Amino acid sequence: MRVMGVDPGLTRCGIGAVEGRPGAALRMVAVGVVRTPADDDIGSRLVAIEAGIERWLDEIRPDAVAVERVFAQHNVRTVMGTAQASAVAITCAARRGLPVALHTPSEVKAAITGNGNADKKQVGTMVTRLLRLDAMPKPADAADALALAICHVWRGGVQNRLALAQAQALAKRGGPGANIALQPGYRHPGAGR
């Protein structure tokens, strides 16, 4: 499975892709950031992020996209920018019919380091070890994007199978939404939590 991770942000949107499967060695495909100038207007910045993510999707051709789930922060301005960049990433993936998973920062930290409260340096160090890299990816947004992708490779397979089983059960019962539950690319709303 090839997964592209997106650590959303307006100034730096980290992007990283890995290939692998649970229980096997992982391989880094690519890593980097999409940058926008802080003094540009919000519309221009979101268009630039969209163009950057689209280029990455064209080059990487992932099977799935993992995006950091926006969480509450004290700085409302920061969380709004993160949420806007996150929405752009989700839209770009959905437009292509790619499954999208949202992972919380603590879920990613726990998957990568075994500690849901790990700091950025600990996450970067483990990403470097897991992918057998010579140096820690920089900036931290890039390492975080790789961590998201790794988390999804390890946890996403189980979540996707669970979501498919739930969708099949829903379809058998003929419940609300049953007609869309088995469409290609359908992802149960509870998957990835």
Side-chain angles (χ1 to χ4, degrees):
M1 171 182 251
R2 181 175 283 196
V3 177
M4 187 172 100
V6 179
D7 181 40
L10 279 179
T11 303
R12 286 184 318 273
C13 185
I15 300 181
V18 300
E19 221 169 41
R21 61 183 170 79
L26 299 167
R27 181 180 76 82
M28 183 181 78
V29 177
V31 66
V33 293
V34 174
R35 297 178 189 270
T36 67
D39 54 354
D40 279 5
D41 68 273
I42 186 67
S44 298
R45 295 177 84 183
L46 293 174
V47 167
I49 290 169
E50 178 188 30
I53 290 172
E54 289 290 350
R55 278 192 304 274
W56 276 84
L57 288 168
D58 287 341
E59 288 181 27
I60 302 300
R61 302 178 56 90
D63 300 309
V65 175
V67 180
E68 183 176 282
R69 182 184 299 270
V70 178
F71 61 99
Q73 292 180 351
H74 296 295
N75 187 338
V76 174
R77 188 173 174 192
T78 300
V79 79
M80 287 300 295
T82 302
Q84 291 162 335
S86 176
V88 169
I90 293 166
T91 301
C92 290
R95 187 182 298 135
R96 293 168 184 248
L98 293 171
V100 176
L102 301 176
H103 298 284
T104 65
S106 59
E107 178 185 9
V108 174
K109 291 173 185 179
I112 301 302
T113 70
N115 175 4
N117 294 316
D119 62 27
K120 285 194 176 285
K121 185 173 183 187
Q122 291 170 310
V123 172
T125 298
M126 284 306 297
V127 165
T128 304
R129 286 183 187 161
L130 291 168
L131 296 174
R132 298 171 310 283
L133 303 175
D134 294 331
M136 191 181 306
K138 300 221 187 248
D141 311 272
D144 289 348
L146 287 171
L148 277 155
I150 292 167
C151 175
H152 188 69
V153 167
W154 286 351
R155 294 184 172 195
V158 171
Q159 292 168 339
N160 289 342
R161 287 193 297 278
L162 178 60
L164 180 60
Q166 290 172 332
Q168 288 171 337
L170 179 64
K172 278 184 181 176
R173 289 194 310 264
N179 58 344
I180 65 158
L182 298 178
Q183 296 293 320
Y186 172 78
R187 197 143 155 71
H188 186 274
R193 286 190 185 160

